[in-house]
Amino acid sequence: MRKGREATSAKFIQTLVYHDGPQLLLLESDRGLNMLAVAIDRDDMENAFFACEMREKVFNKYIHNKADLGFVFRSTPRNRFYFFSLDDSGDGNIELTPAHANELYNSEYWPGPGFFSYSHTHDIIQGERYPSVSQAYNIDGSWEPSEFSRFSNKISDIYAFLFMTGRLADAQSAQSDRLLMKGIVSGRLWQGGGSYIGFYDEIASRVSEFNPLELDRIHYASPGEIVFRGEAQVFAEISQTVKQFAENTEELKSRYRLLNGILAKEKLKRADKSKGFSSRALEDQVAYETNLLAKSMRIPEAEKLRELCESTVIYCKVVLSYYRRVEALNTFRSEGRLEVAATVNNESMGEG
Amino acid sequence: MFKEVLPAGCPTQDDGICVGKYVLRFIAGPQATPQDFLSHAALKKPRPKDIDLCSWHSCSCWDASVAEHKVLGMLALPRLRKRYSHVAKMWIDEKAGRLRVKDTGHIDLWMYASFDPVASTKKVMSLP
């Protein structure tokens, strides 16, 4: 893979829009970055395309309909635009010509607003990179609007937490995600509700670059269903976690109360995060109990999570916050208003 | 008998027979002409390697019942925006030909030789 300042060639991946000829193509540059290329008319080039090379974050925003094609092009740095002729791509290898600054002022080359990936005429065939499935949660009884919102928030937090902690085990992504998680954890004061909300919002934001949780539909009736889209493995883990919580509620609750009680007694719940336990023995006990709670709650890579936290106090607070979210989900279940079944519709997300 | 000489096995058995519906077709001027309905193959334009021969020989249309913003969103793509100024609303039925409809509303249409797309155009609208 090249590491130069500019790409020189690209590999043809697939056609995304075919309407009277190819109109939008997906390529991969020789620097390993995604490229989107739109068909244009140029007097000096047959079957010409105008392409931009982008970071994964921007590409994922586009693929998940979080940004239109115009945004992708506008947010690309000026030195990452290229031209090429599709006629010269015999074996799928495309020679790129960097766009000169003056060529970038030609508005005829630029995609306009309002084109989203859901309009692709051809499915993205990178299914392995962006697998997405539907998960239906059956509901019953009476639900207030605020309860739908609370349920969605809890699912969203748990999904993001499991997704990110799960990635800590992935050798390829571990380094960058570890640094990112460490930054998110250390950027919080951990003195109250705002810290926790901010923590989950930030990890959800990171998850949205890969495979965000999306609310697909709510069918409100008795019984009805709430359907999300996201990664199958994470949905399966949520189901297992809630099942395990339901089977061991009392044991988990007593462990939570023990830890919460120690933090309260040590006046650490709202203390400055530099404050620690009054004794080393107590800190060791809290670390031990937190590990047990984390494992009982099926938190993936709990040891790695501990390493990312600056102190035992913060590690404990993170695990307790996760407990509270699973407990809230389990409350809906125990009231008989929610069924957390492991039923997943295995349809891959193709056309955005 | 189709309007264009199609490759063997095209359209496929899975491709449907037209039932009465309106479709939209981008065209280059205020009057629809036969030239507006030619396939990319008929225009002797190159075929990308991942586009099957059958699609290459089709006339691209949109299901008129698809949300307007979705169809007009296609005009954000530079070459389509430059080449087309109008959209023809055409009626197709079982005498029109065979078609392949995607969830996006995009239609590959293979017209029968006897079908006249210009005469079947009920309305031409100017594009914004």
Side-chain angles (χ1 to χ4, degrees):
Chain A
M1 193 183 300
R2 283 189 78 251
K3 287 192 174 176
R5 287 173 59 84
E6 287 175 343
T8 59
S9 66
K11 187 169 67 179
F12 177 92
I13 303 295
Q14 71 165 107
T15 301
L16 296 175
V17 176
Y18 189 83
H19 180 101
D20 289 348
Q23 300 297 338
L24 177 64
L25 306 176
L26 174 61
L27 316 173
E28 186 183 312
S29 76
D30 55 4
R31 301 196 299 178
L33 296 173
N34 288 307
M35 299 183 83
L36 289 169
V38 289
I40 57 165
D41 287 325
R42 263 182 80 129
D43 292 338
D44 59 349
M45 193 182 277
E46 283 293 311
N47 213 359
F49 279 78
F50 179 49
C52 70
E53 187 188 30
M54 73 212 63
R55 294 192 181 284
E56 192 174 10
K57 181 176 180 175
V58 175
F59 181 70
N60 286 342
K61 265 187 151 179
Y62 172 69
I63 289 302
H64 292 294
N65 294 300
K66 302 283 187 196
D68 67 7
L69 189 63
F71 171 86
V72 172
F73 274 68
R74 286 194 309 278
S75 61
T76 296
R78 298 266 145 171
N79 60 348
R80 291 189 175 197
F81 287 97
Y82 305 86
F83 293 102
F84 66 88
S85 167
L86 194 60
D87 291 356
D88 300 335
S89 65
D91 57 354
N93 195 51
I94 292 166
E95 293 300 314
L96 300 171
T97 304
H100 292 299
N102 58 339
E103 291 173 310
L104 295 178
Y105 289 107
N106 190 339
S107 60
E108 288 188 354
Y109 298 158
W110 289 75
F115 184 87
F116 288 89
S117 62
Y118 62 65
S119 291
H120 289 170
T121 55
H122 288 67
D123 297 348
I124 289 258
I125 50 179
Q126 293 176 308
E128 289 305 307
R129 285 176 74 181
Y130 307 102
S132 193
V133 296
S134 290
Q135 168 73 61
Y137 292 100
N138 297 327
I139 59 171
D140 209 342
S142 173
W143 285 66
E144 299 296 324
S146 61
E147 290 179 313
F148 283 117
S149 168
R150 195 154 63 90
F151 170 70
S152 295
N153 288 340
K154 299 308 171 200
I155 284 278
S156 171
D157 287 353
I158 294 167
Y159 179 93
F161 187 84
L162 288 173
F163 190 100
M164 283 304 290
T165 48
R167 277 179 69 85
L168 297 177
D170 181 341
Q172 282 192 321
S173 61
Q175 183 62 15
S176 60
D177 282 320
R178 216 172 284 156
L179 287 171
L180 186 106
M181 278 286 271
K182 195 167 187 171
I184 294 173
V185 172
S186 64
R188 301 278 140 204
L189 296 174
W190 300 104
Q191 290 176 323
S195 280
Y196 298 103
I197 292 168
F199 169 72
Y200 284 98
D201 281 352
E202 279 198 53
I203 57 173
S205 170
R206 174 64 172 167
V207 170
S208 71
E209 295 170 22
F210 299 100
N211 200 342
L213 181 73
E214 292 170 340
L215 179 60
D216 195 355
R217 65 180 181 276
I218 297 175
H219 174 228
Y220 182 39
S222 296
E225 63 175 9
I226 303 174
V227 183
F228 292 92
R229 288 191 70 86
E231 189 169 302
Q233 200 179 334
V234 181
F235 284 135
E237 194 53 47
I238 291 174
S239 298
Q240 282 301 315
T241 300
V242 175
K243 183 169 177 276
Q244 192 148 324
F245 193 99
E247 288 168 0
N248 304 290
T249 305
E250 289 311 312
E251 181 198 329
L252 292 168
K253 194 179 280 183
S254 73
R255 196 156 276 139
Y256 174 85
R257 282 180 177 162
L258 171 71
L259 289 166
N260 199 44
I262 293 173
L263 291 184
K265 202 170 174 186
E266 292 279 296
K267 295 188 170 45
L268 288 170
K269 291 187 78 171
R270 292 189 175 273
D272 186 283
K273 62 180 179 177
S274 62
K275 291 243 170 91
F277 292 97
S278 56
S279 72
R280 181 61 192 263
L282 190 57
E283 180 173 354
D284 289 346
Q285 186 199 348
V286 168
Y288 175 76
E289 291 291 341
T290 306
N291 277 336
L292 282 181
L293 180 60
K295 283 184 179 139
S296 309
M297 298 282 301
R298 299 176 60 89
I299 293 177
E301 305 300 323
E303 298 82 5
K304 291 194 171 73
L305 180 64
R306 167 66 189 94
E307 289 165 19
L308 300 179
C309 298
E310 296 157 83
S311 66
T312 303
V313 177
I314 292 175
Y315 173 51
C316 180
K317 286 183 173 183
V318 170
V319 173
L320 293 184
S321 74
Y322 180 68
Y323 169 95
R324 287 192 290 273
R325 279 148 180 83
V326 178
E327 184 191 38
L329 210 57
N330 186 56
T331 300
F332 284 116
R333 187 206 59 78
S334 61
E335 290 166 346
R337 293 194 295 163
L338 174 73
E339 187 188 345
V340 186
T343 51
V344 170
N345 294 327
N346 200 3
E347 42 183 285
S348 73
M349 184 165 169
E351 55 198 31
Chain B
M1 172 82 88
F2 289 95
K3 202 174 277 293
E4 294 182 20
V5 179
L6 301 179
C10 174
T12 66
Q13 287 187 337
D14 292 338
D15 295 324
I17 294 164
C18 297
V19 289
K21 67 159 74 185
Y22 279 106
V23 296
L24 301 174
R25 165 79 182 167
F26 294 131
I27 59 175
Q31 298 287 332
T33 67
Q35 186 79 7
D36 286 320
F37 298 90
L38 295 178
S39 74
H40 226 227
L43 292 169
K44 303 198 183 319
K45 298 286 185 185
R47 176 175 64 92
K49 63 177 186 173
D50 63 337
I51 297 299
D52 64 273
L53 272 170
C54 206
S55 293
W56 190 48
H57 279 83
S58 75
C59 169
S60 280
C61 302
W62 292 89
D63 189 323
S65 64
V66 167
E68 187 184 350
H69 76 271
K70 217 167 172 180
V71 178
L72 293 180
M74 298 299 289
L75 296 172
L77 298 172
R79 190 181 282 163
L80 294 180
R81 185 175 67 222
K82 189 174 181 191
R83 291 188 176 177
Y84 300 116
S85 58
H86 291 73
V87 62
K89 191 172 185 183
M90 180 169 67
W91 177 257
I92 58 171
D93 55 24
E94 73 282 359
K95 292 175 188 158
R98 302 277 300 276
L99 81 178
R100 183 182 299 166
V101 187
K102 296 209 167 178
D103 291 344
T104 53
H106 180 264
I107 293 173
D108 282 318
L109 176 65
W110 297 277
M111 291 177 272
Y112 292 137
S114 56
F115 178 69
D116 182 348
V118 176
S120 299
T121 296
K122 304 299 179 194
K123 194 176 176 185
V124 174
M125 295 162 284
S126 174
L127 291 170

